Amino acid sequence: MNKTEQTLSIIKPDAVERNLGEDIKKILVNNNLLVKDSKKLRISKDEAEEFYRVHQSKPFYNDLCNYLSSGPIEVIILEGEDAIIKYRRLMGATDPKKAEKNTIRQLYGLSIDKNSVHGSDSLENAKKEIDFFFKD
Ligand code: CMP
């Protein structure tokens, strides 16, 4: 059964810097994902470390946190039927070189680090990630 879900999208510094936000949101909206809320902000390294805590033990953790805090990002709450898997399919594989044709990362990603977008990987993490940016 399809279900309405919310997921968190982050437009990363490389994509914000190239003004790709509107083009990326057009892809999302054209695929029946509703932009419920969005804001542009810049986070600190400490905040990036907290956000990416699940990757703490990975060799790329430090670079990843430096990168996410290196410039403005846009965070978006997306809502729609099966939003989590739908948005992950639209993003494509983590590494833009391996991403399927016409996915966001294939179209815009520069490298595995500068891969333009982030998306929640499960319902549980979507709730946590949305709260991280939108709970006041
Ligand atoms: P994201 O979906 O934001 O989740 C964690 C990020 O780590 C991922 O996108 C990549 O940008 C980054 N990353 C860097 N190196 C790797 C790697 N070897 N495997 C997975 N993710 C990586």
Side-chain angles (χ1 to χ4, degrees), residues 114-130:
K114 297 182 176 181
N115 62 353
S116 301
V117 281
H118 165 84
S120 312
D121 64 0
S122 65
L123 200 57
E124 191 192 345
N125 284 336
K127 289 199 174 78
K128 282 190 202 155
E129 293 183 357
I130 288 170

Side-chain angles (χ1 to χ4, degrees), residues 20-128:
L20 292 170
E22 292 310 312
D23 289 344
I24 291 172
K25 279 186 272 188
K26 216 174 278 170
I27 295 175
L28 303 177
V29 170
N30 287 343
N31 283 279
N32 298 319
L33 288 170
L34 184 70
V35 173
K36 285 290 278 187
D37 205 349
S38 72
K39 59 184 175 190
K40 236 184 225 180
L41 73 164
R42 188 169 175 168
I43 59 169
S44 66
K45 172 111 188 254
D46 282 354
E47 288 168 321
E49 285 175 350
E50 193 185 335
F51 180 76
Y52 274 131
R53 191 71 74 198
V54 288
H55 295 298
Q56 197 171 17
S57 61
K58 311 267 174 60
F60 55 82
Y61 179 63
N62 189 49
D63 286 348
L64 175 62
C65 297
N66 278 333
Y67 176 59
L68 199 72
S69 56
S70 69
I73 58 174
E74 185 170 353
V75 291
I76 305 166
I77 301 176
L78 292 174
E79 188 175 288
E81 299 261 302
D82 296 314
I84 293 166
I85 186 72
K86 184 182 275 182
Y87 174 49
R88 289 184 69 77
R89 287 193 186 124
L90 291 172
M91 284 194 298
T94 308
D95 183 348
K97 290 202 292 286
K98 295 180 186 156
E100 301 73 1
K101 199 162 187 289
N102 287 325
T103 57
I104 296 168
R105 285 168 169 160
Q106 186 267 328
L107 290 169
Y108 304 122
L110 302 173
S111 66
I112 195 162
D113 301 299
K114 297 182 176 181
N115 62 353
S116 301
V117 281
H118 165 84
S120 312
D121 64 0
S122 65
L123 200 57
E124 191 192 345
N125 284 336
K127 289 199 174 78
K128 282 190 202 155

Side-chain angles (χ1 to χ4, degrees), residues 1-19:
M1 265 267 283
N2 292 350
K3 55 216 168 305
T4 300
E5 295 172 341
Q6 289 191 342
T7 189
L8 182 85
S9 164
I10 302 178
I11 302 185
K12 294 187 180 184
D14 67 274
V16 171
E17 193 177 281
R18 288 176 288 151
N19 286 315

